[in-house]
Amino acid sequence: MTDKPLAGKTILMSGGSRGIGLAIALRAAGDGANIALLAKTDSPHPKLEGTVHSAAEQIRAAGGNALPIVGDVRNDDDITEAVLKTQGEFGGIDIVVNNASVIDLSRSLELTAKKYDLMQDVNVRGTFMLSQAAVPMLRDAENPHILSLSPPLNLDPKWLGAHTGYTLAKYGMTMVTLGFAAEFSKDGIAANTLWPRTTIATAAVQNLLGGDLVMAASRTPQIYADAAYQVLIRPAGECTGQTLIVEDVLTDAGITDFAPYAAVPGTPDARLFPDIFL
């Protein structure tokens, strides 16, 4: 294996303007990968940093090639356009990263129908449709991967009942991915999910899961990016149909010191906030 195994590889990612998705894109860009981002953030958000265009600038600065595509993963025409533009710009697709996701931890009686539908449309349907549209390109790739940022299927009632609408949407992402792994294994396409043991310092954690307190007890998106990188450089035939955990992937790769990933340097692992679904 070369020291830059993703050099020249093409990644199509949903979302990616900020946070974990952008961190994964920048990690791949360090190898010289091509990154196509399908995201809605054409102009700055008043409360959230980053647009698809600023993300593209960072990707190029990190050594990769970028193709910002303004679109919505809920829109079939936007998905088709993203696949065709990516193929036209880079000649194919090697990797699909299903990063776009909506979170709402409301209890069932408080969850609106509109938000329920949004989570289903982005998380589940978006994962299915983007992966489906890319399969013809992935079949022609040398080492094709689908990677979805979703959790293992933990049927403990603790998680099924904690926030049923969100649980369904995230588990749906995982089921789509495992289904693609089984259906397209004969084509040599790997499909896996990836999820962290601790919360990750992102805007979602800041705004929805506990603010500064939980942010300080989280790890940086870089740990997710480094683990995703390790998954995507594996031979597709040797790694598919798995619900992977970030820290386990890194440990298998020989990375066992997670201290550098603490959002607040020096925070011991025992004081980090555990993520949900595990």
Side-chain angles (χ1 to χ4, degrees):
M1 182 179 293
T2 68
D3 60 348
K4 293 187 176 183
L6 294 185
K9 299 291 186 179
T10 296
I11 299 173
L12 173 59
M13 177 185 295
S14 60
S17 297
R18 61 182 71 90
I20 293 167
L22 179 56
I24 291 172
L26 293 175
R27 182 67 177 86
D31 272 15
N34 308 313
I35 318 291
L37 300 177
L38 171 61
K40 292 170 56 182
T41 51
D42 186 32
S43 56
H45 188 283
K47 295 183 179 179
L48 300 172
E49 294 184 2
T51 68
V52 67
H53 306 294
S54 64
E57 291 175 0
Q58 293 183 61
I59 289 167
R60 296 182 187 114
N65 297 306
L67 177 63
I69 304 169
V70 178
D72 191 333
V73 76
R74 295 175 294 172
N75 186 304
D76 295 346
D77 290 339
D78 288 356
I79 287 176
T80 299
E81 183 179 15
V83 169
L84 293 177
K85 281 187 173 180
T86 304
Q87 181 188 26
E89 181 75 13
F90 301 123
I93 297 172
D94 298 283
I95 296 164
V96 170
V97 177
N98 292 301
N99 164 72
S101 182
V102 176
I103 179 171
D104 189 319
L105 300 182
S106 297
R107 303 285 290 177
S108 295
L109 296 184
E110 285 74 48
L111 183 65
T112 66
K114 182 178 181 180
K115 204 58 174 291
Y116 177 93
D117 289 345
L118 180 63
M119 289 193 289
Q120 287 290 320
D121 284 348
V122 173
N123 299 11
V124 187
R125 189 179 189 280
T127 295
F128 183 95
M129 292 301 177
L130 186 63
S131 301
Q132 178 196 61
V135 162
M137 305 297 107
L138 294 173
R139 280 176 167 153
D140 293 332
E142 182 179 348
N143 190 40
H145 282 267
I146 296 171
L147 182 65
S148 300
L149 309 190
S150 59
L153 300 176
N154 184 350
L155 298 185
D156 188 322
K158 172 183 178 180
W159 297 122
L160 289 175
H163 26 65
T164 301
Y166 179 62
T167 299
L168 283 171
K170 292 307 289 188
Y171 284 9
M173 287 181 72
T174 297
M175 293 180 72
V176 166
T177 307
L178 295 179
F180 271 67
E183 186 172 356
F184 298 106
S185 62
K186 64 183 181 298
D187 296 297
I189 301 172
N192 299 286
T193 69
L194 186 63
W195 196 250
R197 290 195 186 282
T198 74
T199 52
I200 303 297
T202 63
V205 168
Q206 176 72 54
N207 298 329
L208 300 173
L209 294 184
D212 293 341
L213 182 64
V214 177
M215 285 285 280
S218 300
R219 289 184 170 132
T220 67
Q222 191 61 46
I223 191 170
Y224 220 138
D226 288 347
Y229 179 86
Q230 292 298 328
V231 175
L232 297 176
I233 65 174
R234 292 178 177 180
E238 299 176 9
C239 178
T240 190
Q242 299 185 45
T243 55
L244 302 164
I245 303 300
V246 164
E247 290 80 357
D248 293 346
V249 169
L250 292 177
T251 298
D252 289 345
I255 302 169
T256 56
D257 180 11
F258 302 143
Y261 296 115
V264 175
T267 303
D269 288 355
R271 293 182 59 188
L272 295 176
F273 200 82
D275 211 325
I276 58 179
F277 297 128
L278 298 181

